[in-house]
Amino acid sequence: EAQVTQNPRYLITVTGKKLTVTCSQNMNHEYMSWYRQDPGLGLRQIYYSMNVEVTDKGDVPEGYKVSRKEKRNFPLILESPSPNQTSLYFCATGTGRYEQYFGPGTRLTVT
Amino acid sequence: GNSVTQMEGPVTLSEEAFLTINCTYTATGYPSLFWYVQYPGEGLQLLLKATKADDKGSNKGFEATYRKETTSFHLEKGSVQVSDSAVYFCALIRGGGSNYKLTFGKGTLLTVNP
């Protein structure tokens, strides 16, 4: 079964404590990306990756890092989380401009 | 820049009513167009897509036609069910470029009452 998985699904943490949200896909897609969803602001792209070792900034990359060492995995790293990073995060993967699939989401609260 | 405008919600319908959610877009080149659906507490699911002008995407009774002349991609369903209650997002990926970023509309909340 084609899947995009994210972990954890829910996380409450404190300001400054480094965290990683994992994303994994089993569809052998080259393209992966991260979005955050906020009320009133909609969905905004954080980072994307065209292939292994190829990543680039999206619209709101500040405070985030990513890595792409394997095709199937694309973790999102918050080195020093702040309350304004409280959000719902989605990983997406796909064949590019023809279709993209989203993970189930990670709800992050930073206090 | 690229943008998607969809009708403001919320939309409340009775079961078996006809649904239309309007979506218009602004984009360079020839974008691909999508409708995603988000059920409460869940992620976004791809509902349907169209990748070139005059294409009709369809799935689960929903359909939308890529109209380049009116830059529109309206979502329709002939008879909605309570289980269709969700937030619907219109989105595009612009033609060309190396970032296949989805540009989303703000979403339309649909509630279907029995």
Side-chain angles (χ1 to χ4, degrees):
Chain A
E1 179 191 354
Q3 275 192 326
V4 185
T5 57
Q6 291 180 229
N7 283 292
R9 294 290 314 280
Y10 303 91
L11 179 60
I12 300 174
T13 189
V14 296
T15 298
K17 185 177 181 181
K18 181 179 179 179
L19 66 93
T20 299
V21 183
T22 65
C23 173
S24 183
Q25 52 100 357
N26 64 359
M27 292 174 272
N28 202 36
H29 289 154
E30 293 181 345
Y31 182 80
M32 298 183 75
S33 64
W34 278 101
Y35 293 81
R36 60 179 289 175
Q37 185 179 30
D38 302 289
L41 297 174
L43 287 125
R44 295 175 291 170
Q45 191 188 53
I46 304 170
Y47 267 94
Y48 69 96
S49 171
M50 298 296 289
N51 211 329
V52 174
E53 303 292 1
V54 181
T55 64
D56 206 347
K57 297 175 181 178
D59 295 324
V60 289
E62 295 77 20
Y64 304 94
K65 287 176 56 176
V66 292
S67 70
R68 187 91 182 273
K69 298 189 186 308
E70 304 168 280
K71 198 173 192 177
R72 62 183 292 126
N73 296 322
F74 190 44
L76 180 69
I77 303 157
L78 286 72
E79 298 238 334
S80 183
S82 63
N84 66 11
Q85 293 177 298
T86 292
S87 187
L88 180 57
Y89 291 87
F90 290 104
C91 177
T93 176
T95 58
R97 66 183 297 267
Y98 298 111
E99 54 189 23
Q100 291 188 31
Y101 300 95
F102 283 75
T106 294
R107 187 167 293 281
L108 172 66
T109 302
V110 183
T111 61
Chain B
N2 303 315
S3 66
V4 174
T5 303
Q6 59 182 104
M7 62 187 288
E8 297 280 330
V11 173
T12 302
L13 296 172
S14 297
E15 205 164 25
E16 299 185 3
F18 184 85
L19 169 71
T20 300
I21 302 178
N22 290 336
C23 171
T24 57
Y25 67 90
T26 302
T28 55
Y30 299 92
S32 296
L33 302 174
F34 305 87
W35 279 99
Y36 282 86
V37 58
Q38 187 174 29
Y39 297 100
E42 298 187 13
L44 289 93
Q45 297 180 24
L46 177 61
L47 181 60
L48 54 84
K49 65 177 182 179
T51 57
K52 61 183 189 297
D54 300 324
D55 269 1
K56 178 186 281 189
S58 61
N59 186 25
K60 299 181 182 179
F62 292 90
E63 50 183 43
T65 301
Y66 189 143
R67 302 283 189 203
K68 188 163 177 61
E69 63 277 10
T70 55
T71 62
S72 65
F73 192 54
H74 305 320
L75 182 69
E76 296 182 336
K77 187 175 186 183
S79 176
V80 294
Q81 306 300 311
V82 172
S83 57
D84 294 327
S85 298
V87 180
Y88 291 81
F89 293 92
C90 185
L92 68 82
I93 298 174
R94 70 179 181 94
S98 60
N99 179 9
Y100 305 122
K101 180 182 75 173
L102 281 153
T103 298
F104 287 91
K106 292 188 181 302
T108 302
L109 173 62
L110 170 66
T111 301
V112 180
N113 295 317

